[in-house]
Amino acid sequence: MSPTDRPIVIVGAGHGGTTLAALLRQSGFDRPVVMIGSEPHPPYHRPPLSKKFGGPQVCQPLRPPEFYADNAIELRTATTVTGIDRLDKYVQLSTGDRLAYSSLVLATGSTPRRLWVPGADTPGVLTLRTIENAGALGHALDRRAGLAIVGGGYVGMEVAAVARSRDVPVTIIEREDRVLARVASPELSRRLTDYHRSRGTHINVSAVATAIREREGRVGGVELDDGSLVEADTVLVGVGAVPNDRLAHDAGLACDTGVIVDECGRTSDPSVFAIGDVARRPVHGVDGLVRLESIPNATEQARQVAAVVVGEPPPDAEVPWFWSDQFDLKLKIAGLIAPGSRVVTRPGTKEGSFAIYHVAGDDTVCAVETANSPGDFIAGKKLIAQRSPVSPARLGDPSVSLRDVSRALPVGS
């Protein structure tokens, strides 16, 4: 097979891989495109898994079934890549086939981190990453029995909100001294903790799960480090995710808890790219490399790689952002909180809405966390991108238009 006949091979059929395949065709790329997915389903939306689990809307295809054939995208489901030969440029498949490539894109995502305690394999201990996981969780909660969530991250908080809306007793067990300790500011953590507790969610912080207790062949509860027992017949483990970088590591690509890439998604091999949860990448304005677990991150990296493959100028880098739905709160967060940044809160225009701005030492906005305040989110994202100084006093004053906060600082501000 000549190099011009070799396909671009995309390993992973999630948001990043599917977006990349679509963008290549939209850009007029006419060489073969092969996308390989380990699950038996065509690509589907991930957010409904934690927001609508078990309901009729949980399975939402990313594209209509006919999209792939209509766009000459070869989609191979229920297939995994078991090895990469970078010298001869081919991948080994679980089917026994070898597939040559011109460019290879790793969009392999991440896997829920295991809970390494006695009883972790007891029936009724679940994780949430696939449609099957979501179905199992929804079925378990149909019994209205107790749910214990080990880990107070965004997935756990979203599941807690849905479960409480179904009147399921919920207890969150978080080993840090606050929920969302790794991904949110203390102020946002406090507000969300209060909001959940007011709706009946029990939240235990500074609490470590030490064992899963069994009762009559399935989960009976979670034992904590203080000796107490949180009774539940379903346990959801949400203690983070690990990047699926084993394939890259075994192929000799540079990795460091994720596949290391440049601004355009290139790995240490110029013919191999990595996007999405598996990639550790540079972000403008942030020191070092970061691994971002969000759909906007995966789709942005897909745009960068598509531009490289078709020979177009790379698009401007987007400010990192993501969202979360909890009860009636629509949370939108942009940017990354810099160490030592100053917190400026701003009330929203609707009751209960708010924005938490994070202002770095040079008076530029580095991040914004919003609840039911889309105007603040849009304005904050723009301020982060512009990196122009703001007046913290004016930023926190709801009587001052957000259009005016980045103007020349008044004397004494």
Side-chain angles (χ1 to χ4, degrees), residues 319 334 357 365 367-368 374-385 402:
V319 173
Y357 288 87
V365 176
V368 62
D376 277 288
F377 170 74
I378 294 170
K381 194 176 177 188
K382 185 178 296 185
L383 288 170
I384 296 167
L402 286 166

Side-chain angles (χ1 to χ4, degrees), residues 234-366:
T234 301
V235 174
L236 176 67
V237 176
V239 291
V242 293
N244 293 326
D245 60 359
R246 173 53 59 185
L247 188 65
H249 184 275
D250 289 348
L253 297 170
C255 296
D256 180 13
T257 319
V259 185
I260 295 175
V261 300
D262 65 11
E263 294 87 348
C264 295
R266 286 190 189 89
T267 69
S268 53
D269 181 333
S271 296
V272 183
F273 301 81
I275 61 176
D277 289 11
V278 75
R280 184 168 291 277
R281 55 171 290 204
V283 173
H284 182 64
V286 178
D287 292 335
L289 303 176
V290 294
R291 192 173 68 85
L292 302 175
E293 297 176 6
S294 74
I295 291 169
N297 169 66
T299 55
E300 190 220 342
Q301 285 194 287
R303 287 192 291 273
Q304 300 288 344
V305 172
V308 173
V309 171
V310 301
E312 294 180 352
D316 292 337
E318 186 178 30
V319 173
W321 70 278
F322 66 99
W323 77 94
S324 176
D325 294 336
Q326 297 177 34
F327 298 107
D328 57 349
L329 293 179
K330 186 75 171 181
L331 304 170
K332 287 190 173 183
I333 296 94
L336 299 174
I337 300 173
S341 56
R342 175 179 176 182
V343 173
V344 178
T345 58
R346 182 181 176 100
T349 57
K350 298 179 181 179
E351 183 179 359
S353 64
F354 61 85
I356 303 169
Y357 288 87
H358 298 270
V359 182
D362 59 357
D363 282 337
T364 60
V365 176
C366 60

Side-chain angles (χ1 to χ4, degrees), residues 13 45 87-88 250:
H45 286 275
L87 181 62
D88 292 331
D250 289 348

Side-chain angles (χ1 to χ4, degrees), residues 166-188:
R166 300 183 184 183
D167 203 30
V168 174
V170 178
T171 299
I172 293 175
I173 301 164
E174 171 55 52
R175 67 182 304 149
E176 303 294 337
D177 61 359
R178 60 184 177 93
V179 298
L180 304 173
R182 189 175 60 87
V183 292
S185 69
E187 177 66 14
L188 181 59

